[in-house]
Structures are given as C-alpha cells and as structure tokens.
Amino acid sequence: MALLDKTFYLETFGCQMNAHDSEKVIGTLLREGYRQVETEVDAALILYNTCSIRDKAEQKVFNRLNDYKALHKQGKRFAVLGCVAQQEGEKIFERAPYVSLVAGSASYRKLPEMLVQLEAGNNRIAGLDDRQTDQTFETEFTARGNKHRGYITIIEGCDKFCAYCVVPYTRGKERSRTSDSVLTEARRMADAGYTDIQLLGQNVNSYRDSSGKMSFAELLVAVGHVAGIRRVRFTTSHPRDFTRDIVDAIDAVPTLCDHVHLPVQSGSSRVLQRMQREYTLEWYLERIAWIQAARRPISLTTDIIVGFPGETEEDFEQTLSLLAQVGYDAVFAFKYSARPNTPAISMEDSIPEEVKSRRLQALLEFQREIQRTLYSRHIGEIVEVMVEGNNPARGQVSGRSSQNKVVNFTVDSPIYPATGTYMLVRITQSFPNSLLGEAVILGQPSAISAGEEICVV
Ligand code: SAH
Ligand code: SF4
Ligand code: F3S
C-alpha cells in the first residue's frame, strides 16, 4: 500500500543528540518532498525518534505506538528511529507489526532509499547499520528548529562502556568529524544568523579530530572565534577526558559559555568503580578544582544515578556530601534502571524500588536548598540574557544567561524584544531554578548604581 500523501509527524524522545538527529531527519524528509504536520492524525507517515537510556523511556515509545496503532487501518505508516530501533532491531516488527520502518541513527543517510521502499509498499524496512564502519552523518539537509541557537554534532558514539549504559550499543563506536567540517558548518550557521552554537557528543570532550589538526580545546577556541558567534556551549563532557586546556580556553575566549556539565554519577569511589566509570572521586574533584580556579566563575552541573546495585546508605551519603562540596547549579538525578545488554543487569545486590525512590527524593530536596543559596548570590548582578520567549500575561520576557540559567525579566517598553536578542538584565530576585530581573537600558550606565556587583558575561 503506497502512501496517499507525503505528510509526516515526528516526535522525539531522549537527549539533545536525538533532538538534533530529528532535525536532520526532518531536513531529509522535506527535501524528499514531504510536509511536516502537527499531529499523528494529520500525517500519512508517523515517526518516533526513540530513547532507550532508561526502561521508562523505552516503554513510552511502545505505549505511544499502542495508542495510535488503530491509525494503521487508515493506511498510515509507522517508523521507529533512534536508540530503541538500534537496540531492538527487527524484533520491533514482531512486537508492533504495524511498524514498517526501523532505523538506527547511523542509517539516516540512507533514509531517501528507505522512503522509496516505503512508498513502494514495503512493510519490513530495516536500517540497522554496522556502526563500526559508519561515518558521521553529514548534515546538508538539517532543518533546525530554532533560528538563533543550533546544534552541531562533533562526535558520535561512545567507547566507554559504563556498566549500566546502553549508549555504546545503540550509538556504536566513537567517531569524530574533522575540525574543518565542524568549522564549515559553524560558519554556515553564523552566515545564516545563528549566534549560539552547541557542540554535541555523548562524550563531547573525547573528540579526536579525524584529520589530526586540533584538540578539543583548540576546536572550542576556533568555533568561539567564528565571526558572528556570541555563545558556544558543549555537552556532555566526560570526567575521564576532561583536560585543563578546556578551562584555559573558556578563560581566554569570552564567547565560550561559562558553564560545564560534568556528570559524576556517584560520590562514592567504590560505586564509581562498580559502574566502570574509569575515575575515582579524587580524580573528579581535581577537575572540579581546575574549573573552580578559572578567572571567571564557571557554572557546574552534573548527572547522578541513585540506587546502582550495591549502593549503601554510606555511598549515598557520600553523593550528598559531594553535592554540598561542589555546589552545582543543576543536578539531573535518575533512579538506576537495569538495561538490556549491559553488565550491570546481572549484578547482585539490586536496590529495592522504594529505597531508590526515597534516595532520589532526598537528593532532590537537598539539592534544591543548595540551589536556593547559589542562585540568591546573583541578586544585584547584571547578566547578559539571550531572549527565548515572551510571556505577555505576566509581563515578562524569558531567556538564558551564559551560565545557562533561566532568567525572567521585565522590560520598560510596550514592545517585547525579539527572540534571539541579547539584553542586559539586572537580577532582583532568585528561585532555586531561575532568576528574576529587569532589563537594563543600554547606553545608560547610570542605571547601574555604585557599589553593585557588575558581572557582564
Ligand atoms: N555520556 C554521558 C552521559 C550520557 S547518558 C556521561 O557519561 O556522562 C545521560 C545520563 O543518563 C547519564 O549521565 C546517567 O546519569 C543517566 N543514565 C544512563 N544510563 C542509565 C541507567 N541505566 N539508569 C539510570 N540512569 C542512567
Ligand atoms: Fe553511557 Fe558511560 Fe558512554 Fe556516558 S560514558 S554514554 S554513561 S557508556
Ligand atoms: Fe537516549 Fe539514545 Fe540519547 S538512549 S539519551 S536518545 S543516545
């Protein structure tokens, strides 16, 4: 049965790399003459770009498929892309027989051929490349969703094999783009009006220029110097590959944002060893010390897993102590979820669900108080904010600081600033997850009264 019309709906689950992959998939579909629609019911082709990092994420996709499978009877076709596709492969056709296409992230460059097969009525199309040999998916058809801030993937895959994690299996071996290719894309984006670039990789700082020209820190500096680019972020950094020259680069180049996301996972070296993280708490803290010794304050955020098999109350307490010691501006905390193919799935001493939930709750409450204190230190500062949206009902504009903090602010004008505008904002109030302030009118330094701390970032 051929598709009646070339309309598609795509929903994305998971991390920023998946979000960016979706932009590439959308770009490819548009080029192939498809049109994007807002809902499943309006689409002839329904695509889910999936995540498998925790069981809940995987289940979400199967629930979604189940919810909409009746649409198959109307001739609609389903495609499962991304990490669940790569992990489950052709088994998906058995579990959800109304799915016609299953493709992992390394196969998207073959999407045009797969679409031809789909249009010809093939109902068992699989793109499950051997990711050992795949080259990074190039991005000539990327349809970026935001006009000012854009992602560039610089490294794909992961070779670390942490005991709990599916990514090395779903995304394959680590492979980096050349620095020339990254810089060409950055320049193209700047020419198109982008001012904010986020470099992406599962372990972005494991980047190894495949042409051998630049280290990761040198690439950061080079992207930071692209004319027109005002902000460069990078995520996610792995502690094992975090080198001091990254901090030097942030110190030297003002366009490199003063924020490092450095997932620790646990504050206990014993747990870190069981997780196969390849570093100890001391190693991690040494990197934190480098970051905290930078000339301009660098905001730190992290990821934590609670309830990894064998985690004792004492191990958990060590994680809380680490949070207190470092002072993170945000913590993304998750209950350990046993995943297929990973060594941790067969580990003994699994932690009961209610203990995991209790620890997660305790950690989040503990961290909230830390953030309450940390965010309050910004009161009185003037920070540069990139406008992301307006909330006329509240009379507020919202955006983010270079440190990636959410800043809501009022403007003394009936006209709201456009998305993508950079403004200076004086912070007047703080919350555990956001700051509140008022726009400072440019060219009127008198708006800043003497004695106030000025931190223009
Ligand atoms: N490459 C990054 C993290 C990528 S996955 C790093 O190594 O730091 C994003 C986050 O999901 C991880 O940092 C971890 O905290 C969480 N995560 C990964 N696998 C998980 C699992 N099996 N259960 C719970 N959380 C998990
Ligand atoms: Fe997963 Fe570890 Fe690789 Fe991060 S470093 S993606 S947690 S295996
Ligand atoms: Fe999920 Fe795959 Fe990203 S498992 S977190 S979408 S790499």
Side-chain angles (χ1 to χ4, degrees), residues 13-15 17-18 50-53 83 166-167 170-171 202:
F13 303 85
C15 62
M17 300 203 56
N18 245 22
T50 62
C51 172
S52 175
I53 200 82
C83 291
V166 292
V167 172
T170 64
R171 292 265 173 179
Q202 276 306 335

Side-chain angles (χ1 to χ4, degrees), residues 51 65 96 106 182 192 196 216 236 274 284 297 321 332 376 403-404 407:
C51 172
L65 281 169
V182 174
D196 180 326
F216 173 63
T236 295
R274 284 169 63 85
Y284 181 83
S321 307
F332 302 90
S376 73
Q403 290 199 336
N404 209 30
V407 182

Side-chain angles (χ1 to χ4, degrees), residues 3 6-8 29-30 32-36 45 115 119:
L3 289 175
K6 285 184 150 193
T7 48
F8 74 97
L29 285 162
L30 294 177
E32 295 300 315
Y34 281 74
R35 183 167 60 83
Q36 190 171 12
L45 172 61
L115 290 170
E119 287 160 20

